[in-house]
């Protein structure tokens, strides 16, 4: 049974305020409204390879995805809706600088830049004035989202700047 972290109900709030303040009930309601299969489809398009069960709890982060998957998916937002699968080895050269192997990134548009720009703006507010204020940087914009499991057994921050994407997990 989903409930908000602080156990309180704030009444009607918009999506921006719900995400900025990590309100769980609106997230579940949005997932129900758009359809959990559409949520899964978008997560897969953004690089989540973990098998996702079609439960509304996905809106609260119930799937055990890896930090790499999380960072790669948020990098899609940083690129305005373009997904690039992470590449661990871009190029291998021999001692004579001959290329033995080359893995070029493949760009795939998975969301409109207009839609993503609204989401990025909201995620920037999470860091500016919401639950992610500890991730603020003086010299560049930061966007991201915090997450906490029951009784704070697991805590997350997944975010990005214009140049970097990262996922930070702490837990048992």
């Amino acid at each position: 049974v989903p409930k908000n972290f602080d156990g309180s109900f704030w009444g009607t709030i918009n999506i921006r305020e719900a995400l900025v303040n990590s309100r769980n009930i609106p997230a579940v309601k949005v997932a129900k409204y758009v359809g959990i299969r559409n949520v899964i489809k978008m997560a897969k398009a953004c690089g989540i390879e973990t098998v996702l069960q079609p439960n509304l709890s996905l809106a609260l982060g119930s799937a055990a995805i890896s930090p790499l998957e999380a960072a790669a998916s948020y990098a899609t937002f940083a690129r305005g809706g373009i997904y690039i699968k992470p590449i661990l080895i871009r190029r291998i050269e021999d001692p004579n600088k001959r290329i033995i192997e080359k893995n070029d990134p493949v760009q795939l548009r998975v969301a409109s830049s207009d839609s993503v720009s609204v989401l990025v703006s909201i995620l920037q507010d999470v860091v500016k004035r919401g639950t992610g204020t500890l991730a603020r940087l003086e010299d560049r914009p930061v966007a991201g989202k915090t997450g906490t499991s029951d009784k704070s057994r697991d805590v997350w921050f997944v975010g990005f700047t214009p140049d970097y994407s990262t996922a930070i997990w702490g837990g048992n």
Side-chain angles (χ1 to χ4, degrees):
V1 176
K3 57 186 170 218
N4 293 311
F5 180 76
D6 62 3
S8 69
F9 178 67
W10 291 8
T12 302
I13 59 174
N14 64 40
I15 295 297
R16 179 177 297 271
E17 293 309 309
L19 279 173
V20 165
N21 294 289
S22 277
R23 306 307 289 172
N24 290 335
I25 303 304
V28 172
K29 286 185 175 185
V30 168
K32 184 175 180 182
Y33 177 78
V34 302
I36 197 63
R37 300 233 183 252
N38 289 326
V39 171
I40 292 171
K41 184 178 174 184
M42 182 54 70
K44 295 289 183 189
C46 291
I48 304 300
E49 295 178 353
T50 297
V51 174
L52 303 174
Q53 298 302 319
N55 302 318
L56 289 175
S57 61
L58 277 177
L60 305 179
S62 64
I65 68 170
S66 74
L68 179 60
E69 286 177 295
S73 67
Y74 272 55
T76 302
F77 308 145
R79 286 189 292 271
I82 296 173
Y83 172 71
I84 299 174
K85 185 174 181 156
I87 299 170
L88 298 180
I89 298 174
R90 293 270 176 109
R91 185 171 66 205
I92 300 173
E93 297 177 355
D94 69 13
N96 297 317
K97 302 282 186 197
R98 285 183 297 203
I99 297 173
I100 296 169
E101 182 177 338
K102 186 175 181 190
N103 298 305
D104 292 324
V106 177
Q107 297 184 9
L108 180 63
R109 171 142 319 265
V110 298
S112 75
S113 58
D114 290 341
S115 298
V116 172
S117 69
V118 172
L119 177 60
V120 169
S121 172
I122 293 170
L123 294 175
Q124 285 176 329
D125 277 355
V126 169
V127 175
K128 286 178 189 171
R129 61 183 179 85
T131 58
T133 57
L134 291 174
R136 282 187 290 206
L137 298 173
E138 296 294 323
D139 61 342
R140 70 195 67 176
V142 178
K145 184 71 186 78
T146 60
T148 307
S149 67
D150 291 337
K151 299 179 183 166
S152 296
R153 286 189 317 238
D154 295 285
V155 294
W156 283 86
F157 178 78
V158 184
F160 55 92
T161 69
D163 301 311
Y164 297 102
S165 178
T166 190
I168 300 165
W169 168 79
N172 184 2

